[in-house]
Structures are given as C-alpha cells and as structure tokens.
Amino acid sequence: MAQVLEFKLPDLGEGLTEAEIVRWLVEVGDVVAIDQPVVEVETAKAMVEVPCPYGGVVTARFGEEGTELPVGAPLLTVAVGAPEGSSGSGEDSGSDPESAGGSGNVLVGYGTGAPAARRRRIRPDRLDRSVTEAPVSGAPVVKAPVLEAPVVKVLAADASVSEGPVPVVSPLVRRLARQHDIDLRRLAGSGPDGLILRADVDRAIRTAEETATATARAAQAPVQAQVPAAAPNGVAAAVDAERIPLRGVRGAVADKLSRSRTEIPDATCWVDADATELMAVRAAMNAATGPSAGPKVSVLALLARICTAALARFPELNSTVDTEAREIVRLSGVHLGFAAQTERGLVVPVVRDAHTRNAESIGAEIARLTELARTGKLSPAQLTGGTFTLNNYGVFGVDGSTPIINHPEAAMLGVGRIMPKPWVHQGELAVRQVVQLSLTFDHRVCDGGTAGGFLRYVADCVEQPAVLLRTL
C-alpha cells in the first residue's frame, strides 16, 4: 500500500527564513525521482532549485507561483510505493524515508536515517476539544484574572416604577442625578433597605457615557470606511496607487541598506583622476600577442586589483565593527564584492581571496560571477561574506555618487564613467580621460586621514599604473 509523504520547504542556509515560489517544475500526477528538482524558489539572496528527497507520484502542491512560504511549510506531497516486506497495513505509514525511497542526500530538516513523522487523522470534534482544552506542551497555563465590572442595577423599561418617594437621603446625590439626566426611580440602591448612594449614581453615569460612546463609534464607522487612509507622510494616498511587496531580492536590499544607514556613521570623500594612462595600459595588455597574450582584462578587474593593493596599505578599511563587544574586527583576507545590476535587482557577488589574485584572475572570476548573476544561478554563499565592495556605477552613464556601505563592511569605492574632459597635463591644457572616484567609509573604523590616504593611493594608481609594479 502506497504511503503519502509530505515534503516541506527545507532550510536553505545563510539564515534565510522564507522563499518565494518562482516556478513549479512538476505537476500533480507527475512521477518524480529521488533528488529531482521539483520547484524553483527565490530567496533574499539567490534563485534555488529545490530537490525532493522522495521518489513517487506527486499528489498535491502547496502554493501558487509568486507565493511566499516560510521554512518548514509544506511544498508538496508524494505517494511512495510500499517498501518490500510491508504488511500493507496503515500502521507502517511512518517508515523511514530510505525504506520509502528517500534521498541519500541531506537537506536541512531531512536526515537520511530519521523516520518520517506519522500522520494521524483527527476527527473535527476532537480537534475542537484539543484546541479549547489542551494546553500547549511545555508552556505553563496561566489563567488571566477576570476583572468584574461594577454592576449597575437598572430596572427594566417595562418594570413597574414606584410612584412613591425615591429612597435617597443626600441632596448631593439628587443634584448629581439631575445634572446627568439619571432617573433615580429606575435605580436599585445598594445601601441599606435599597438606599441609593452616590456610588450608585456614579456607576449609572459611567454606564450611560460608555453606551453613548459606543453608539457614536458605530455610527461613524461606515463613514470612516469610505475615507481613504492617509499615506505615512501625511499626503492622502491615491485610490489607484499600486502597492509592491518588499520581498525577495528587493526586500533584502531594502533591509540591508536601511540597516546600513541606521547603524553606520558614514562619510564620503571623492577625487577626480586622469585615467588616460590606465586605459592605455589596458589596451596594451589586451593587444598583446604570442606568449604574453591572455584573456581580455576589463577596467573593473584593474580597479579591483588596485583596491586590493590599497587595502594592503590601509587595512583599517578591510574591517567590520562588532557593536555588542564594542570592537573593530580587522580582517586578514580581502573578499571583494562588486555591484551587479540584474533583472532581479541589485546583487553583490563576492570574489573570494581577491588579495591573492592578479588582475587576470580577478577578471576571470568577475566574468564568471556576472554570468551567474544574469541567469539567477548565484548561490547564497557567492553573495555573502564580502569585506569590501567596488561599485562601478559609471556603466549607467553617471559621473559620481555617494555609495551606501554594504553592511557590515566598512567601506565602498564608487567609480563613475570615464569620459574625455579638459585637464591640465604637464602644464598644458589637454583633453584627457577623466574619472571620478568616491569612497564612503565607516567613521568608526578610521578617520578622514586614513580614508583620504586610501583614495589618494587609488587615484595615483589610476593616473600612474606603474605604481602598482611595487606590489606585484
């Protein structure tokens, strides 16, 4: 007898707690093999194909494309054939995944030897009782104190009202009731022999006020429902305004940039540099033939190599701040991130151990990661762990910017477009290839002197690439 196994969204690592279904790769009724990808999901860091650890027939899918599911939520169910030697009774439906055609791989939350959880049917009436009667396991049940509201005894409208004298002694009580239109004949006193006390009138006044307030709110509710809510900035929201959920890559970028602006006291300095010599050196590299020929080297690769040389001289900028311990953590290796704009949004792939690579190696890794970013196949590990970021916003045709630091890093170098501009060269006015360089840094890790020294060294290498020969 076949058993139905439930496959839940596994923990995809890197602290991710949810994922959005981008595309189902199987339909209900399809036969899937063990470890066959069944769904493509998008996390805050990458697009991932999720393999199913069971083999069998898909009996149900949970969630349409575009639905965001938390880790641990059901993805689909698979009907798996009964293992050999099974008696066919329903009591063995909780056999382990291996015997039921489970995966040999380990997904977080899906071991290879742990038995699958048994699923029992619960009658609705028992479910209702369990919800209302059974306490949550491990959590103490605390009975909330019931506050008894003071009871005001008021005679029913159709009750006979005595025409005789009202049992009130105090003139103050009579005047108080008269001021608030309280009919003393309809009050039952709480004093001796039904005597109406001031406390009885006070309670009647409060009850009347609460009743009037509730009636007014009920009357205003339909009117308020027709008034459009005001936008956060106080401007009335347009009725036809479009609301776009901040999730996936866009949500991750929003969270990281907001955290950066909140936690990091950043400052920016910039300088214009004559990149004519750098462009000439690049052209010579790429035009080389024979034994010295090699892959084409991009401007970004040369700038990345300049950054690693500058960070070796100014290691303060290759660090992070541990706010809880109140310590600056200076990092030994340079894992260089570079901003890449894709159809899914802005991502920052990381070149590992960039300090050990030359310009050619860095360029090859940048090209490989860029291609993965364009196809949405970057893994979360390739998008995390950076220590310094290089942002070439010149590709958008702009000259300068004030970059936002990629939290928890301490600095980011921004590069504008390289374009012909009038420039004083060797005492004469000439047209040169000029670029603007911007450095945004965390003022907690260093002062302006260190940041300025870093930026000036980068500009010197751009203007005179021979400076780099000292570190090769």
Side-chain angles (χ1 to χ4, degrees):
M1 179 178 178
Q3 62 181 39
V4 178
L5 300 179
E6 184 178 75
F7 175 42
K8 299 178 180 180
L9 177 65
D11 185 349
L12 300 173
E14 302 293 336
L16 302 172
T17 57
E18 66 274 326
E20 179 182 344
I21 297 175
V22 176
R23 183 166 59 98
W24 282 105
L25 305 178
V26 295
E27 301 286 344
V28 174
D30 287 355
V31 177
V32 295
I34 296 174
D35 292 337
Q36 175 182 334
V38 293
V39 66
E40 191 176 67
V41 300
E42 181 182 23
T43 69
K45 297 184 181 297
M47 199 93 73
V48 181
E49 288 186 350
V50 181
C52 179
Y54 312 127
V57 179
V58 178
T59 57
R61 300 186 319 192
F62 301 96
E64 300 297 328
E65 295 178 356
T67 303
E68 194 169 64
L69 298 177
V71 170
L75 269 178
L76 51 77
T77 54
V78 179
V80 181
E84 292 182 12
S86 172
S87 62
S89 65
E91 297 297 325
D92 292 333
S93 61
S95 58
D96 63 84
E98 272 191 39
S99 63
S103 170
N105 294 332
V106 178
L107 290 173
V108 179
Y110 291 85
T112 57
R118 295 196 178 190
R119 302 175 59 82
R120 295 185 302 160
R121 293 184 178 273
I122 302 177
R123 293 186 306 182
D125 58 339
R126 297 185 63 181
L127 179 61
D128 293 340
R129 283 203 302 273
S130 67
V131 172
T132 56
E133 298 174 5
V136 178
S137 176
V141 178
V142 180
K143 292 185 177 180
V146 179
L147 301 178
E148 294 184 2
V151 178
V152 181
K153 295 183 180 179
V154 182
L155 297 179
D158 57 351
S160 59
V161 178
S162 174
E163 296 297 330
V166 179
V168 178
V169 175
S170 171
L172 179 61
V173 173
R174 290 181 178 274
R175 186 175 65 180
L176 186 64
R178 192 165 51 248
Q179 290 174 345
H180 292 85
D181 296 325
I182 301 297
D183 188 356
L184 293 175
R185 296 179 183 278
R186 295 189 176 279
L187 291 184
S190 60
D193 299 325
L195 184 67
I196 298 176
L197 306 178
R198 178 170 181 172
D200 300 323
V201 176
D202 287 339
R203 283 194 290 268
I205 293 172
R206 286 196 300 270
T207 301
E209 290 175 347
E210 292 172 358
T211 303
T213 302
T215 303
R217 287 178 180 174
Q220 292 177 0
V223 178
Q224 292 177 349
Q226 298 174 2
V227 179
N233 60 3
V235 181
V239 177
D240 58 347
E242 180 184 6
R243 290 182 174 268
I244 302 173
L246 279 174
R247 59 189 185 190
V249 174
R250 186 73 265 161
V253 170
D255 292 341
K256 176 157 284 196
L257 297 184
S258 299
R259 186 175 182 184
S260 178
R261 280 296 194 211
T262 302
E263 295 185 9
I264 299 178
D266 59 352
T268 303
C269 53
W270 59 90
V271 66
D272 289 341
D274 180 2
T276 306
E277 295 299 324
L278 181 69
M279 301 302 289
V281 167
R282 174 178 175 261
M285 286 181 181
N286 293 338
T289 58
S292 60
K296 302 294 183 182
V297 177
S298 65
V299 175
L300 187 62
L302 292 175
L303 291 171
R305 179 64 185 90
I306 292 173
C307 284
T308 59
L311 289 172
R313 285 177 169 253
F314 301 92
E316 297 91 338
L317 294 170
N318 193 55
S319 59
T320 187
V321 176
D322 186 339
T323 54
E324 293 186 1
R326 293 184 62 82
E327 294 176 341
I328 297 173
V329 182
R330 192 168 295 177
L331 306 169
S332 57
V334 178
H335 303 308
L336 187 69
F338 64 96
Q341 190 70 38
T342 69
E343 293 182 356
R344 298 174 57 236
L346 179 67
V347 295
V348 184
V350 177
V351 178
R352 302 286 171 184
D353 300 316
H355 61 290
T356 65
R357 299 171 181 263
N358 56 28
E360 185 177 298
S361 174
I362 292 176
E365 184 66 0
I366 287 176
R368 185 182 73 87
L369 293 173
T370 300
E371 182 58 28
L372 290 176
R374 286 173 180 165
T375 57
K377 295 182 179 179
L378 282 171
S379 67
Q382 293 169 322
L383 291 165
T384 54
T387 63
F388 184 91
T389 297
L390 176 61
N391 186 359
N392 180 22
Y393 44 74
V395 296
F396 302 118
V398 297
D399 296 330
S401 176
T402 55
I404 299 178
I405 297 174
N406 188 19
H407 185 279
E409 298 170 11
M412 176 186 289
L413 179 69
V415 182
R417 61 177 175 171
I418 301 174
M419 63 178 303
K421 287 184 178 181
W423 190 266
V424 177
H425 177 65
Q426 296 180 353
E428 295 182 356
L429 188 63
V431 177
R432 308 285 287 182
Q433 299 291 323
V434 180
V435 62
Q436 186 179 96
L437 306 171
S438 303
L439 177 70
T440 298
F441 64 98
D442 186 341
H443 228 312
R444 296 174 297 179
V445 304
C446 70
D447 296 324
T450 300
F454 174 93
L455 187 59
R456 187 64 256 173
Y457 179 80
V458 171
D460 289 344
C461 290
V462 169
E463 295 184 339
Q464 304 174 48
V467 174
L468 273 179
L469 293 175
R470 296 183 180 181
T471 59
L472 294 180

